[in-house]
Amino acid sequence: MMNPLRRYRLLKSTVRITMGFIFLWAFFDKLLGLGFATTSDKAWINGFSPTTGFLTYATQGPLAWIYQSLAGNPVIDWIYMLGMLGIGLGLVLGIMVRLAGYGAITFMVILWFALLFPENNPIVDEHVIYALLLLWLTRTNTTQQFGFGKWWCSLPFVKQHPMLR
């Protein structure tokens, strides 16, 4: 039988890695058009903006006009894509989990406001749940198992700057 502390650490690591995979998948799907949320003809590598579809057609509510005005902006495209890649790699690899987590929380809050008010519940949707899970990850030490976190946290620069843990 597995030690309860070990089970807890395994759960934290599993949540960290799966949350990271959500962001990595979004990055690769938009980059390559894997045929799930993005078809190959609308892939970023084929010259299509990775933010146009969502920001133009999926946003709703009182703030939709703000998001729609950002659709297709190359700066927003780069911020989105680099954010998805950085968050995904940080969480999957177990490095910069705090920074990646806070970035992901910010992204989830932005998405929640873009979809105001969520379709099935006016307050809580998957973005809120993801943000809460990410907050839990940033406030607990999830870097020590299944990744490069132990090595990363031992680096002098990271020791001097705890936000990079």
Side-chain angles (χ1 to χ4, degrees), residues 96-151:
M96 293 193 293
V97 171
R98 285 186 184 164
L99 192 59
Y102 289 131
I105 291 167
T106 303
F107 188 73
M108 289 297 120
V109 170
I110 288 169
L111 285 176
W112 186 84
F113 277 109
L115 300 171
L116 224 93
F117 292 91
E119 187 175 320
N120 297 320
N121 184 316
I123 299 169
V124 178
D125 72 349
E126 67 272 14
H127 300 99
V128 174
I129 302 302
Y130 289 165
L132 290 171
L133 281 171
L134 289 156
L135 182 62
W136 174 58
L137 291 176
T138 61
R139 303 313 308 156
T140 60
N141 186 5
T142 61
T143 61
Q144 301 301 318
Q145 291 189 312
F146 303 112
F148 299 100
K150 194 172 188 173
W151 164 78

Side-chain angles (χ1 to χ4, degrees), residues 6-118:
R6 185 169 165 82
R7 277 188 291 189
Y8 177 69
R9 287 180 181 153
L10 179 63
L11 174 65
K12 286 193 308 184
S13 297
T14 303
V15 169
R16 174 181 55 83
I17 292 166
T18 55
M19 289 300 297
F21 185 70
I22 288 171
F23 288 90
L24 277 181
W25 185 263
F27 170 79
F28 283 113
D29 190 47
K30 292 293 185 190
L31 177 68
L32 304 172
L34 300 175
F36 291 85
T38 307
T39 56
S40 62
D41 60 317
K42 293 186 179 175
W44 198 28
I45 61 168
N46 291 332
F48 197 81
S49 165
T51 61
T52 295
F54 176 79
L55 292 177
T56 302
Y57 303 110
T59 54
Q60 61 189 29
L63 303 176
W65 67 274
I66 296 170
Y67 292 94
Q68 291 165 0
S69 72
L70 299 173
N73 182 321
V75 173
I76 301 300
D77 290 344
W78 276 96
I79 291 170
Y80 170 80
M81 293 299 281
L82 291 175
M84 293 300 100
L85 180 62
I87 291 166
L89 286 175
L91 293 174
V92 168
L93 298 175
I95 59 173
M96 293 193 293
V97 171
R98 285 186 184 164
L99 192 59
Y102 289 131
I105 291 167
T106 303
F107 188 73
M108 289 297 120
V109 170
I110 288 169
L111 285 176
W112 186 84
F113 277 109
L115 300 171
L116 224 93
F117 292 91

